[in-house]
Amino acid sequence: MFCLVLHSHLPWLANHGRWPVGEEWLYQSWAASYLPVVDVLRRLGEKGHENLLSLGITPVLAAQLDDPHCLEGLHHWLGNWQLRAHEAALRPGGRDLGAREHANSAWALQQFETLWRHGASPLFRELIEANTIEVLGGPLAHPFQPLLDPRLRAFSLAEGLTDAKTRWGRRPRGIWAPECGFTPSMEHGYDLAGVKHFMVDGPALHGDTTLGRPVGEADVVAFGRDLPVSYRVWSPKSGYPGHAAYRDFHTFDHATGLKAYRVTSRKSTEKAPYDPHLAAAAVKQHVDDFVHTVVRRLSSESERIGRPALAVAAFDTELFGHWWYEGPAWLEQVLQALPEAGVRVGTLTQARAEGFVGQSVHISDSSWGSGKDWRVWAGDQVADLVQLNAEVVETALAALDKNPSELRNRTNDQLIREALMAVSSDWAFMVSKDSAAGYARDRAHRHAHATREIAEAMTSGQFAKAERLAQDWNQVDGLFPALDARRLQV
């Protein structure tokens, strides 16, 4: 069996800047990845395809895809995209680019206005109920769980699964743990939360990813990312998106912000114009290569272990369309070509139910980041953020424990909401990778500041002030309205 797993995630960006980092990041990913990937899944589902893949959607991304402010912002962004296409068409030599981008933006506007304008949840619920996909959930706000206080870790996971059920009508049985972060004993927390399976990176299972593995004594199975298969598509050094025929992500026309070139040179001034026909031929070539890779891998691993083997390929959803423009076309063709080549395509739930599970294993500290350890989220470069996170969590829990409430208390809710936002794994990742590190540090400290000032007002007995502060911060960070701090009280 072959399982494709996609991980869809962006940090909370609404009301936190626009460009170059902020809401623009959300709208680019939404238009380039989420719209076309969902379209691929819907069309394949209409053709009768079922159990195509396991789709991870983090609660913080799901919140943005349903948020009225974000929906309005995307609609404006799509309209602006079309205006930029018209501008490109009027410039010397820009006719082909303008026509291509006009067609793309018109399609995106039509998709949004007919299917997405009331949020993403109805679309995902439709795919889930039709058994087109399995959905994977996760904890609120995407924390790096191994470094998080166990009490807040359990709360975040339970609330995340509840949030998923509210949006999609089903509580996910599987999760994509943020950053695939793991430390021993977490399997028991998963078991208690009703999680039946989760993803780890291949090295966490010592490279033997041909079967899912129960973890310790818990009734939960870890599925490992098959690196030889996954790295054919995307790796730190190679992969299909780097092919010279594909549209270049990094180089764009400065007058319009549109991407007019293909990957032909490291120098932006020497890149060749994008040619859709060359790109289509490369997609076909890479579909064939991937199918052959999967067939060979499954054949060799089945022979090695003496039973039918499993291969799990896992990627960020944003790779398909946003980072790799041709990715959705490749995805659609692969999902049809694999069954034609005799490969059974299924979900992680199916893999477990059909016995693609081996002997139990003990997993050590791990992630899918650099070095497959915790250095990205706990290394020297982010030691200050690790300390900040610990202080924020301690402050929030102490204030909550000092001021418990039998009734729903919006101040307590906002206190925990801001603490969870402060400890998002995204901030340390962006600093370690030097990707908008200033923005990331600012976000971490801003949420930490919100947590502190609400907590200080509460612990000093200034409850009216604490309530005003909580209301003000909620105007910016009002996601997860069902979050109830009473479920975190001692």
Side-chain angles (χ1 to χ4, degrees), residues 37 40 56 109 113 161 240 252 322 324 347 354-355 364 369 376 416 419 442 458:
V37 168
V40 165
L109 277 164
E113 292 173 352
L161 295 174
Y240 303 148
F252 55 90
H322 178 55
W324 179 21
T347 64
E354 297 183 18
S364 59
V376 172
I416 300 304
D442 178 72
M458 289 171 58

Side-chain angles (χ1 to χ4, degrees), residues 27 51 65-66 92 125 150 165 174 181 219 228 263 272 345 369 442 458:
Y27 302 142
N51 300 307
L65 299 184
D66 283 341
R125 184 179 288 227
K165 184 176 181 180
D219 184 27
V263 184
V345 174
D442 178 72
M458 289 171 58

Side-chain angles (χ1 to χ4, degrees), residues 226-489:
D226 187 309
L227 297 188
V229 172
S230 298
Y231 279 0
R232 290 300 298 163
V233 180
W234 188 241
S235 75
K237 297 181 179 179
S238 63
Y240 303 148
H243 190 275
Y246 291 143
R247 196 177 78 173
D248 187 89
F249 172 81
H250 299 284
T251 305
F252 55 90
D253 172 60
H254 287 273
T256 61
L258 302 176
K259 295 170 183 175
Y261 305 99
R262 54 191 174 96
V263 184
T264 46
S265 171
R266 291 184 178 275
K267 297 181 179 180
S268 60
T269 57
E270 298 178 3
K271 294 183 184 293
Y274 182 69
D275 184 336
H277 300 292
L278 287 177
V283 168
K284 178 63 170 62
Q285 173 188 340
H286 290 143
V287 167
D288 292 342
D289 178 77
F290 188 76
V291 170
H292 291 319
T293 298
V294 172
V295 169
R296 288 196 305 268
R297 179 68 169 168
L298 288 174
S299 177
S300 63
E301 289 299 280
S302 296
E303 182 177 354
R304 181 180 67 83
I305 66 175
R307 57 179 288 190
L310 172 73
V312 180
F315 312 99
D316 286 330
T317 305
E318 295 77 23
L319 170 64
F320 298 94
H322 178 55
W323 297 104
W324 179 21
Y325 176 65
E326 297 78 10
W330 178 91
L331 181 67
E332 182 172 9
Q333 293 179 40
V334 158
L335 289 173
Q336 296 176 94
L338 283 167
E340 293 171 359
V343 176
R344 172 83 185 284
V345 174
T347 64
L348 298 180
T349 289
Q350 282 185 300
R352 175 171 180 165
E354 297 183 18
F356 288 91
V357 178
Q359 298 297 314
S360 64
V361 67
H362 292 277
I363 302 176
S364 59
D365 294 349
S366 56
S367 79
W368 79 331
S370 300
K372 310 304 180 185
D373 53 23
W374 299 355
R375 70 186 66 176
V376 172
W377 300 277
D380 293 341
Q381 196 170 358
V382 292
D384 60 318
L385 292 182
V386 173
Q387 181 63 31
L388 178 71
N389 290 349
E391 293 173 357
V392 164
V393 170
E394 182 180 2
T395 296
L397 293 180
L400 182 67
D401 291 344
K402 185 177 179 180
N403 298 278
S405 175
E406 293 184 1
L407 301 176
R408 185 74 181 273
N409 186 306
R410 302 296 182 181
T411 302
N412 289 356
D413 294 348
Q414 190 64 28
L415 172 73
I416 300 304
R417 184 177 290 113
E418 292 293 345
L420 286 170
M421 297 282 281
V423 301
S424 167
S425 71
D426 297 280
W427 316 137
F429 177 87
M430 293 168 70
V431 171
S432 291
K433 297 297 182 180
D434 195 23
S435 174
Y439 176 89
R441 288 189 183 280
D442 178 72
R443 287 293 304 276
H445 282 279
R446 182 173 300 188
H447 295 298
H449 172 69
T451 304
R452 289 192 191 106
E453 68 172 8
I454 295 171
E456 288 171 3
M458 289 171 58
T459 54
S460 62
Q462 301 178 70
F463 299 114
K465 178 181 179 181
E467 183 177 358
R468 288 196 303 272
L469 288 169
Q471 289 175 347
D472 289 344
W473 284 110
N474 188 259
Q475 293 298 309
V476 179
D477 302 316
L479 70 168
F480 309 139
L483 182 155
D484 189 340
R486 289 176 297 177
R487 293 191 282 267
L488 184 55
Q489 293 174 181

Side-chain angles (χ1 to χ4, degrees), residues 75-141:
H75 198 200
H76 290 167
W77 190 92
L78 294 174
N80 181 260
W81 178 15
Q82 189 158 89
L83 290 175
R84 290 185 286 124
H86 295 171
E87 181 182 352
L90 296 174
R91 299 179 66 227
R95 181 176 178 180
D96 289 345
L97 172 63
R100 185 168 65 247
E101 293 294 316
H102 170 81
N104 290 344
S105 61
W107 176 87
L109 277 164
Q110 186 271 340
Q111 289 285 304
F112 176 81
E113 292 173 352
T114 57
L115 297 172
W116 289 78
R117 66 183 309 149
H118 298 299
S121 286
L123 289 170
F124 289 131
R125 184 179 288 227
E126 175 187 282
L127 292 170
I128 295 165
E129 292 179 349
N131 292 322
T132 306
I133 63 170
E134 170 195 16
V135 70
L136 305 178
L140 293 181

